[in-house]
Amino acid sequence: MATDATAKFQNPEFLPVPQPPDFHPELNVSTHDGLHYWQFMIAGSIAGSVEHMAMFPVDTVKTHMQALGSCPIKSVGVRQALQSILKSEGIAGLYRGIGAMGLGAGPAHAVYFSVYEICKKYFSGGNPNNSAAHAVSGVCATVASDAVFTPMDMVKQRLQLSNSPYKGVWDCVKRVLSEEGFGAFYASYRTTVLMNAPFTAVHFATYEAAKKALMEISPENASDERLVVHATAGAAAGALAAVVTTPLDVVKTQLQCQGVCGCDRFQSGSIRDVFQTILKKDGYRGLMRGWIPRMLFHAPAAAICWSTYEASKTFFQELNGSSNSGIDT
């Protein structure tokens, strides 16, 4: 009986199909850059949270400078805006709304980076230097992530204003729902997407190009200087994209803060209506309100975000490598 069984499995028709030495069915799931997509989500979530928490005070100054109407701060100067916040509310005033940022940044960036990596793999066609693919992937990522982040961004900006009528995140959410309806959370979504689409296209294309250029300057030390490369490329990309898209960011702030602290309320909520109001009140310079703190925010924020994201990716790649070697042994 045993002899028959042995002979049966010696028959070539019953022999197992040869597999490459590194084949592991239990690990044979969709990966990209050596990572599973849930690992991209975790890396992105960590990067986004660290970035926004670290730079939050600068974002508060920018919000104050961009909110028009009878809000307390009318000057466009960074120093005057900062002094006014510190005088009226102290250091704590720079961190009002950080809870909303914490609730929104993590999930939004998890979506942002995972969608970016998925789209980059799909659109690049195997070419890692395809700038158009990076730009298109960034636009797809921002449309998806803004749907997650916009409601909490609106809450965050309303809490950042001096003399904000809201006690905290949940008080703001409840009052906006009861007084203005669910649509108020997405009043600026269209503007946000129109702003972030070119922002992200410029950002990702500049980041990938700058990273490649920096790597080529000293290819023999590229692995040793990886963190510096990611931080420098990210800072350059963030600064350029921030300046280019400041006018739409001013419009977004106006839509999200309308009716709060005496800020103007817009009848139609259209981008054109807001543009005309800003031009009438403050001229063309009004469209560039807060460009300095916006650039000061996005340059280091992008450096922090990209270096944290790439460090998290490296951690997961090493973790996956050690797991694979453990199975091989």
Side-chain angles (χ1 to χ4, degrees):
M1 195 75 169
T3 305
D4 293 340
T6 304
K8 177 180 178 181
F9 285 103
Q10 286 176 345
N11 188 321
E13 295 181 4
F14 294 96
L15 291 176
V17 178
Q19 301 292 353
D22 60 346
F23 176 78
H24 303 292
E26 66 277 13
L27 298 177
N28 191 28
V29 294
S30 177
T31 60
H32 172 55
D33 280 354
L35 298 185
H36 306 293
Y37 283 107
W38 65 266
Q39 292 174 326
F40 284 119
M41 295 183 76
I42 293 176
S45 180
I46 293 170
S49 298
V50 171
E51 165 201 355
H52 284 286
M53 297 298 182
M55 301 305 301
F56 193 82
V58 182
D59 184 63
T60 299
V61 173
K62 183 213 70 160
T63 298
H64 275 258
M65 291 175 67
Q66 291 180 342
L68 303 176
S70 58
C71 294
I73 296 177
K74 291 183 171 61
S75 173
V76 295
V78 176
R79 183 187 298 178
Q80 293 92 331
L82 179 60
Q83 288 176 342
S84 180
I85 295 169
L86 293 175
K87 184 178 180 180
S88 60
E89 298 184 72
I91 295 291
L94 294 172
Y95 290 91
R96 273 184 62 88
I98 197 169
M101 177 62 77
L103 290 171
H109 279 74
V111 172
Y112 186 86
F113 280 105
S114 57
V115 171
Y116 173 70
E117 295 289 353
I118 291 170
C119 292
K120 186 171 75 170
K121 180 182 179 182
Y122 178 78
F123 290 119
S124 65
N127 177 12
N129 299 321
N130 190 334
S131 296
H134 297 150
V136 172
S137 300
V139 172
C140 293
T142 199
V143 171
S145 65
D146 283 342
V148 177
F149 188 59
T150 296
M152 278 298 137
D153 189 47
M154 183 275 286
V155 172
K156 182 258 310 179
Q157 288 204 307
R158 291 195 178 198
L159 289 171
Q160 284 177 318
L161 297 176
S162 291
N163 303 317
S164 173
Y166 307 107
K167 298 176 182 177
V169 174
W170 299 118
D171 179 56
C172 181
V173 170
K174 288 186 291 186
R175 288 180 58 180
V176 169
L177 276 174
S178 63
E179 296 170 10
E180 302 176 51
F182 182 77
F185 290 104
Y186 284 93
S188 69
Y189 178 66
R190 181 174 54 181
T191 308
T192 301
V193 170
L194 287 174
M195 173 188 71
N196 282 341
F199 176 94
T200 309
V202 172
H203 185 108
F204 275 106
T206 305
Y207 170 74
E208 298 286 358
K211 183 174 70 171
K212 180 188 174 187
L214 290 168
M215 291 272 193
E216 289 176 349
I217 291 173
S218 180
E220 66 279 0
N221 298 322
S223 58
D224 297 332
E225 299 172 357
R226 176 179 289 183
L227 186 63
V228 175
V229 168
H230 292 310
T232 305
L240 178 61
V243 173
V244 169
T245 56
T246 293
L248 282 168
D249 189 52
V250 175
V251 173
K252 184 205 76 169
T253 299
Q254 285 288 289
L255 286 169
Q256 293 191 156
C257 296
Q258 58 181 316
V260 182
C261 294
C263 294
D264 294 319
R265 181 172 290 282
F266 303 97
Q267 294 286 336
S268 65
S270 70
I271 297 172
R272 183 179 179 182
D273 185 23
V274 180
F275 263 117
Q276 289 176 340
T277 302
I278 294 170
L279 290 173
K280 184 178 179 180
K281 280 196 163 193
D282 208 24
Y284 284 101
R285 74 170 188 170
L287 294 173
M288 293 302 294
R289 272 181 177 261
W291 75 270
I292 293 177
R294 178 167 164 78
M295 186 180 69
L296 292 176
F297 174 92
H298 280 286
I304 293 168
C305 185
W306 278 111
S307 54
T308 304
Y309 178 63
E310 296 291 351
S312 300
K313 281 175 63 177
T314 301
F315 169 78
F316 282 123
Q317 285 166 346
E318 293 175 353
L319 184 66
N320 292 347
S322 63
S323 298
N324 291 346
S325 62
I327 291 174
D328 289 336
T329 57

